[in-house]
Coordinates of all heavy atoms in Angstrom, one line a residue:
M222 N 112.6 -146.8 68.0 CA 111.4 -147.6 67.5 C 111.7 -149.0 67.8 O 112.8 -149.6 67.5 CB 111.6 -147.4 65.9 CG 110.4 -147.9 65.2 SD 110.3 -147.6 63.4 CE 109.8 -145.9 63.3
T223 N 110.7 -149.6 68.3 CA 110.7 -151.0 68.6 C 110.5 -151.9 67.3 O 110.3 -151.5 66.3 CB 109.5 -151.5 69.5 OG1 108.2 -151.4 68.7 CG2 109.4 -150.6 70.7
Q224 N 111.0 -153.2 67.5 CA 111.0 -154.1 66.3 C 109.6 -154.2 65.8 O 109.4 -154.3 64.6 CB 111.5 -155.4 66.8 CG 111.6 -156.5 65.7 CD 112.7 -156.0 64.7 OE1 113.5 -155.2 64.9 NE2 112.6 -156.6 63.4
K225 N 108.6 -154.2 66.7 CA 107.2 -154.3 66.2 C 106.8 -153.1 65.4 O 106.1 -153.3 64.3 CB 106.2 -154.5 67.4 CG 104.8 -154.7 67.1 CD 104.0 -155.0 68.4 CE 102.6 -155.2 68.0 NZ 101.7 -155.6 69.2
E226 N 107.2 -152.0 65.8 CA 106.9 -150.7 65.1 C 107.6 -150.7 63.7 O 107.0 -150.3 62.7 CB 107.3 -149.5 66.0 CG 106.4 -149.2 67.1 CD 107.0 -148.2 68.0 OE1 108.2 -147.9 68.1 OE2 106.2 -147.5 68.7
K227 N 108.9 -151.2 63.6 CA 109.6 -151.3 62.5 C 108.9 -152.2 61.4 O 108.8 -151.8 60.3 CB 111.0 -151.8 62.7 CG 111.8 -150.8 63.3 CD 113.4 -151.4 63.6 CE 114.2 -150.4 64.3 NZ 115.5 -150.9 64.5
I228 N 108.5 -153.3 61.9 CA 107.6 -154.3 61.0 C 106.4 -153.7 60.5 O 106.1 -153.8 59.3 CB 107.4 -155.6 61.8 CG1 108.7 -156.3 62.1 CG2 106.5 -156.5 61.0 CD1 108.6 -157.5 63.0
K229 N 105.6 -153.0 61.4 CA 104.4 -152.3 61.0 C 104.6 -151.3 59.9 O 104.0 -151.2 58.9 CB 103.7 -151.7 62.2 CG 102.9 -152.7 63.0 CD 102.2 -151.9 64.2 CE 101.4 -152.8 64.9 NZ 100.5 -152.1 65.9
L230 N 105.7 -150.5 60.1 CA 106.1 -149.5 59.2 C 106.4 -150.1 57.8 O 105.9 -149.6 56.8 CB 107.2 -148.6 59.6 CG 107.7 -147.5 58.7 CD1 106.5 -146.5 58.5 CD2 108.8 -146.8 59.4
E231 N 107.2 -151.2 57.8 CA 107.7 -151.8 56.6 C 106.4 -152.5 55.9 O 106.3 -152.3 54.7 CB 108.7 -153.0 56.9 CG 109.2 -153.7 55.7 CD 110.0 -152.9 54.9 OE1 110.5 -151.8 55.2 OE2 110.1 -153.3 53.6
M232 N 105.5 -153.0 56.6 CA 104.3 -153.6 56.0 C 103.5 -152.5 55.4 O 103.0 -152.6 54.3 CB 103.5 -154.3 57.1 CG 104.0 -155.6 57.6 SD 103.1 -156.4 58.8 CE 101.6 -156.7 58.0
K233 N 103.4 -151.3 56.0 CA 102.7 -150.2 55.5 C 103.3 -149.7 54.2 O 102.6 -149.4 53.2 CB 102.6 -149.1 56.5 CG 101.8 -147.8 56.1 CD 101.7 -146.7 57.2 CE 100.9 -145.6 56.7 NZ 100.9 -144.6 57.8
N234 N 104.6 -149.6 54.2 CA 105.3 -149.2 52.9 C 105.1 -150.1 51.9 O 105.0 -149.7 50.7 CB 106.9 -149.0 53.3 CG 107.1 -147.8 54.2 OD1 106.3 -146.9 54.1 ND2 108.3 -147.8 54.8
L235 N 105.3 -151.5 52.1 CA 105.1 -152.4 51.2 C 103.6 -152.4 50.5 O 103.5 -152.7 49.4 CB 105.4 -153.9 51.6 CG 106.8 -154.2 51.9 CD1 107.0 -155.4 52.7 CD2 107.6 -154.1 50.6
Q236 N 102.6 -152.2 51.3 CA 101.3 -152.1 51.0 C 101.0 -151.0 50.0 O 100.4 -150.9 49.0 CB 100.3 -152.0 52.2 CG 100.1 -153.3 52.9 CD 99.3 -153.0 54.2 OE1 99.2 -152.0 54.8 NE2 98.7 -154.2 54.5
Y237 N 101.8 -149.8 50.4 CA 101.7 -148.6 49.5 C 102.3 -148.9 48.2 O 101.7 -148.5 47.2 CB 102.4 -147.5 50.3 CG 102.6 -146.3 49.3 CD1 101.5 -145.4 49.0 CD2 103.8 -146.0 48.5 CE1 101.6 -144.3 48.1 CE2 103.9 -145.0 47.7 CZ 102.8 -144.1 47.5 OH 103.0 -143.0 46.7
E238 N 103.4 -149.5 48.1 CA 104.2 -149.8 47.0 C 103.3 -150.7 46.0 O 103.1 -150.6 44.8 CB 105.5 -150.5 47.1 CG 106.6 -149.6 47.6 CD 107.9 -150.2 47.8 OE1 108.2 -151.2 47.1 OE2 108.7 -149.8 48.8
Q239 N 102.7 -151.8 46.7 CA 101.8 -152.7 46.0 C 100.6 -152.0 45.3 O 100.3 -152.2 44.2 CB 101.4 -153.9 46.9 CG 100.5 -154.8 46.2 CD 100.0 -155.9 47.1 OE1 100.0 -155.7 48.4 NE2 99.5 -157.0 46.7
S240 N 100.0 -151.1 46.2 CA 98.9 -150.3 45.6 C 99.4 -149.4 44.4 O 98.7 -149.3 43.4 CB 98.4 -149.4 46.7 OG 97.4 -148.6 46.3
H241 N 100.5 -148.8 44.6 CA 101.0 -147.8 43.5 C 101.2 -148.6 42.2 O 100.9 -148.1 41.2 CB 102.3 -147.3 44.1 CG 102.9 -146.3 43.0 ND1 102.4 -145.2 42.6 CD2 104.1 -146.6 42.2 CE1 103.2 -144.7 41.6 NE2 104.2 -145.5 41.4
F242 N 101.9 -149.8 42.4 CA 102.3 -150.6 41.1 C 101.0 -151.1 40.5 O 100.9 -151.2 39.3 CB 103.2 -151.7 41.4 CG 104.7 -151.2 41.8 CD1 105.3 -151.7 42.9 CD2 105.2 -150.3 41.1 CE1 106.6 -151.3 43.2 CE2 106.5 -149.8 41.3 CZ 107.2 -150.4 42.4
G243 N 99.9 -151.4 41.2 CA 98.8 -151.9 40.7 C 98.0 -150.8 40.0 O 97.4 -150.9 39.1
A244 N 98.2 -149.6 40.4 CA 97.6 -148.4 39.9 C 98.2 -148.0 38.5 O 97.7 -147.4 37.6 CB 97.5 -147.1 40.8
C245 N 99.5 -148.4 38.4 CA 100.3 -148.1 37.2 C 100.1 -149.1 36.0 O 100.7 -148.9 35.0 CB 101.9 -148.0 37.6 SG 102.1 -146.5 38.7
T246 N 99.6 -150.1 36.3 CA 99.5 -151.3 35.2 C 98.6 -150.8 34.2 O 97.6 -150.0 34.3 CB 99.1 -152.5 35.8 OG1 99.0 -153.6 34.8 CG2 97.5 -152.5 36.3
T247 N 98.8 -151.2 32.9 CA 98.0 -150.8 31.8 C 97.1 -152.1 31.4 O 96.4 -152.0 30.4 CB 98.8 -150.4 30.7 OG1 99.8 -151.5 30.2 CG2 99.6 -149.1 31.0
A248 N 97.2 -153.1 32.2 CA 96.4 -154.4 31.8 C 95.0 -153.9 31.9 O 94.4 -153.4 32.8 CB 96.7 -155.6 32.7
G249 N 94.2 -154.3 30.8 CA 92.7 -154.1 30.8 C 92.3 -152.7 30.4 O 91.2 -152.3 30.5
K250 N 93.3 -151.8 30.2 CA 93.0 -150.5 29.8 C 92.9 -150.2 28.2 O 93.6 -151.1 27.5 CB 94.0 -149.5 30.4 CG 94.0 -149.6 31.9 CD 94.5 -148.2 32.5 CE 94.7 -148.3 34.0 NZ 93.5 -148.6 34.7
T251 N 92.2 -149.4 27.8 CA 92.0 -149.1 26.4 C 93.2 -148.2 26.0 O 94.0 -147.7 26.8 CB 90.8 -148.3 26.0 OG1 90.8 -147.0 26.6 CG2 89.5 -149.0 26.5
D252 N 93.4 -148.2 24.6 CA 94.5 -147.4 24.2 C 94.4 -145.9 24.6 O 95.3 -145.2 24.9 CB 94.6 -147.5 22.6 CG 95.1 -148.8 22.1 OD1 95.7 -149.6 22.9 OD2 94.9 -149.1 20.9
Q253 N 93.2 -145.4 24.6 CA 92.9 -144.1 25.0 C 93.2 -143.8 26.5 O 93.8 -142.8 26.8 CB 91.5 -143.7 24.7 CG 91.1 -142.2 25.0 CD 89.7 -141.9 24.6 OE1 88.9 -142.7 24.4 NE2 89.3 -140.6 24.8
E254 N 92.9 -144.9 27.3 CA 93.3 -144.7 28.8 C 94.8 -144.7 28.9 O 95.2 -144.0 29.8 CB 92.6 -145.8 29.5 CG 91.1 -145.7 29.6 CD 90.4 -146.9 30.2 OE1 90.8 -148.1 29.9 OE2 89.5 -146.8 31.0
I255 N 95.5 -145.5 28.2 CA 96.9 -145.7 28.4 C 97.6 -144.4 27.9 O 98.5 -143.8 28.5 CB 97.4 -146.8 27.5 CG1 97.0 -148.1 28.1 CG2 99.0 -146.9 27.4 CD1 97.2 -149.4 27.3
A256 N 97.0 -143.8 26.7 CA 97.5 -142.5 26.2 C 97.4 -141.4 27.4 O 98.2 -140.5 27.5 CB 96.8 -142.1 25.0
H257 N 96.2 -141.4 27.9 CA 96.0 -140.3 29.0 C 96.9 -140.6 30.2 O 97.4 -139.6 30.7 CB 94.6 -140.6 29.5 CG 94.2 -139.5 30.6 ND1 94.0 -138.2 30.3 CD2 93.9 -139.7 31.9 CE1 93.7 -137.5 31.4 NE2 93.6 -138.5 32.4
I258 N 97.2 -141.8 30.6 CA 98.2 -142.1 31.7 C 99.6 -141.5 31.2 O 100.3 -140.9 32.1 CB 98.2 -143.6 32.0 CG1 97.0 -144.1 32.6 CG2 99.5 -143.9 32.8 CD1 96.8 -145.6 32.8
D259 N 100.0 -141.8 30.0 CA 101.3 -141.3 29.5 C 101.3 -139.8 29.5 O 102.3 -139.3 29.9 CB 101.5 -141.8 28.0 CG 101.8 -143.3 27.9 OD1 102.1 -143.9 29.0 OD2 101.8 -143.8 26.9
E260 N 100.3 -139.2 29.0 CA 100.2 -137.6 29.0 C 100.4 -137.1 30.4 O 101.2 -136.2 30.6 CB 98.9 -137.2 28.5 CG 98.7 -137.4 27.0 CD 97.3 -137.0 26.6 OE1 96.5 -136.6 27.3 OE2 97.1 -137.1 25.3
R261 N 99.7 -137.7 31.4 CA 99.9 -137.3 32.8 C 101.3 -137.4 33.3 O 101.8 -136.7 34.0 CB 98.9 -137.9 33.7 CG 97.4 -137.5 33.5 CD 96.4 -138.0 34.5 NE 96.8 -139.4 34.8 CZ 96.0 -140.3 35.5 NH1 94.8 -139.8 35.9 NH2 96.4 -141.5 35.9
F262 N 101.9 -138.6 33.0 CA 103.3 -138.9 33.5 C 104.2 -137.9 32.9 O 105.0 -137.4 33.5 CB 103.7 -140.3 32.9 CG 105.0 -140.7 33.2 CD1 105.5 -141.0 34.6 CD2 106.0 -140.7 32.2 CE1 106.9 -141.2 34.8 CE2 107.3 -141.0 32.5 CZ 107.8 -141.2 33.7
F263 N 104.2 -137.7 31.5 CA 105.1 -136.8 30.9 C 104.9 -135.4 31.4 O 105.8 -134.6 31.6 CB 105.1 -136.8 29.4 CG 105.8 -138.1 28.9 CD1 105.0 -139.2 28.3 CD2 107.1 -138.5 29.2 CE1 105.6 -140.5 27.9 CE2 107.7 -139.8 28.8 CZ 106.9 -140.6 28.1
W264 N 103.7 -135.0 31.6 CA 103.4 -133.6 32.2 C 104.0 -133.5 33.5 O 104.7 -132.5 33.9 CB 101.9 -133.4 32.2 CG 101.6 -132.0 32.9 CD1 101.5 -130.8 32.3 CD2 101.3 -131.9 34.3 NE1 101.3 -129.8 33.2 CE2 101.1 -130.4 34.5 CE3 101.2 -132.7 35.4 CZ2 100.8 -129.9 35.7 CZ3 100.9 -132.1 36.6 CH2 100.6 -130.7 36.8
L265 N 103.9 -134.5 34.3 CA 104.5 -134.5 35.7 C 106.0 -134.5 35.6 O 106.6 -133.7 36.4 CB 104.1 -135.8 36.5 CG 104.7 -135.9 37.9 CD1 104.1 -134.8 38.8 CD2 104.3 -137.2 38.6
V266 N 106.6 -135.2 34.8 CA 108.1 -135.2 34.6 C 108.6 -133.8 34.2 O 109.5 -133.2 34.8 CB 108.5 -136.2 33.6 CG1 110.0 -136.0 33.2 CG2 108.3 -137.6 34.2
K267 N 107.8 -133.2 33.3 CA 108.2 -131.8 32.8 C 108.1 -130.8 34.0 O 108.9 -129.9 34.2 CB 107.2 -131.4 31.7 CG 107.5 -130.1 31.1 CD 106.7 -129.8 29.8 CE 106.9 -128.4 29.3 NZ 106.1 -128.1 28.2
S268 N 106.9 -131.0 34.7 CA 106.7 -130.0 35.8 C 107.8 -130.2 36.8 O 108.3 -129.1 37.5 CB 105.4 -130.3 36.4 OG 104.4 -129.9 35.5
W269 N 108.1 -131.4 37.1 CA 109.2 -131.7 38.2 C 110.5 -131.1 37.8 O 111.2 -130.5 38.5 CB 109.2 -133.3 38.5 CG 110.1 -133.6 39.5 CD1 110.1 -133.4 40.8 CD2 111.4 -134.3 39.4 NE1 111.0 -134.0 41.5 CE2 111.9 -134.5 40.6 CE3 112.1 -134.8 38.3 CZ2 113.0 -135.1 40.9 CZ3 113.3 -135.5 38.5 CH2 113.8 -135.6 39.8
N270 N 110.9 -131.4 36.5 CA 112.2 -130.8 36.0 C 112.2 -129.3 36.0 O 113.2 -128.7 36.4 CB 112.4 -131.4 34.6 CG 112.9 -132.7 34.6 OD1 113.4 -133.3 35.5 ND2 112.6 -133.4 33.4
H271 N 111.1 -128.7 35.8 CA 111.0 -127.2 35.8 C 111.1 -126.7 37.2 O 111.8 -125.8 37.4 CB 109.6 -126.7 35.2 CG 109.3 -125.2 35.2 ND1 110.2 -124.5 34.4 CD2 108.6 -124.5 36.1 CE1 109.8 -123.3 34.7 NE2 108.9 -123.2 35.6
S272 N 110.6 -127.4 38.1 CA 110.6 -127.0 39.5 C 112.0 -127.2 40.1 O 112.4 -126.4 40.9 CB 109.5 -127.8 40.4 OG 110.0 -129.1 40.6
K273 N 112.7 -128.2 39.6 CA 114.2 -128.5 40.0 C 115.0 -127.3 39.6 O 116.0 -126.9 40.2 CB 114.7 -129.7 39.5 CG 114.2 -130.9 40.3 CD 114.7 -132.2 39.8 CE 116.1 -132.2 39.2 NZ 116.5 -133.5 38.8
Q274 N 114.8 -126.7 38.4 CA 115.6 -125.6 37.9 C 115.3 -124.3 38.5 O 116.1 -123.4 38.4 CB 115.4 -125.6 36.3 CG 115.8 -126.8 35.7 CD 115.5 -126.7 34.2 OE1 114.8 -125.8 33.7 NE2 115.8 -127.7 33.4
A275 N 114.1 -124.2 39.2 CA 113.8 -122.9 39.8 C 114.7 -122.6 41.1 O 115.1 -123.4 41.6 CB 112.3 -122.8 40.0

């Protein structure tokens, strides 16, 4: 992999992380929206733990 390709890949990864963190913020969300985010998170963790045990 060339230096240019490495830089492009790193930029792509950073853009993904920035997008992900922006999607995880609760700023400007209602209490109901935050509760829904929490429910989805804990459901995912439970599902992930269950799949690790299988």
Side-chain angles (χ1 to χ4, degrees):
M222 183 179 285
T223 67
Q224 184 66 19
K225 186 176 180 179
E226 290 171 331
K227 288 179 185 178
I228 292 170
K229 281 185 175 183
L230 180 60
E231 181 66 18
M232 288 176 63
K233 184 177 180 180
N234 289 336
L235 290 172
Q236 286 174 336
Y237 171 77
E238 285 182 34
Q239 181 183 18
S240 174
H241 174 72
F242 290 132
C245 293
T246 185
T247 57
K250 299 209 183 303
T251 66
D252 289 344
Q253 186 177 7
E254 290 171 319
I255 294 170
H257 182 67
I258 291 168
D259 287 348
E260 289 172 0
R261 291 187 321 193
F262 171 77
F263 288 115
W264 176 83
L265 179 63
V266 169
K267 184 179 177 182
S268 298
W269 185 68
N270 286 334
H271 179 70
S272 69
K273 282 179 39 178
Q274 293 174 358

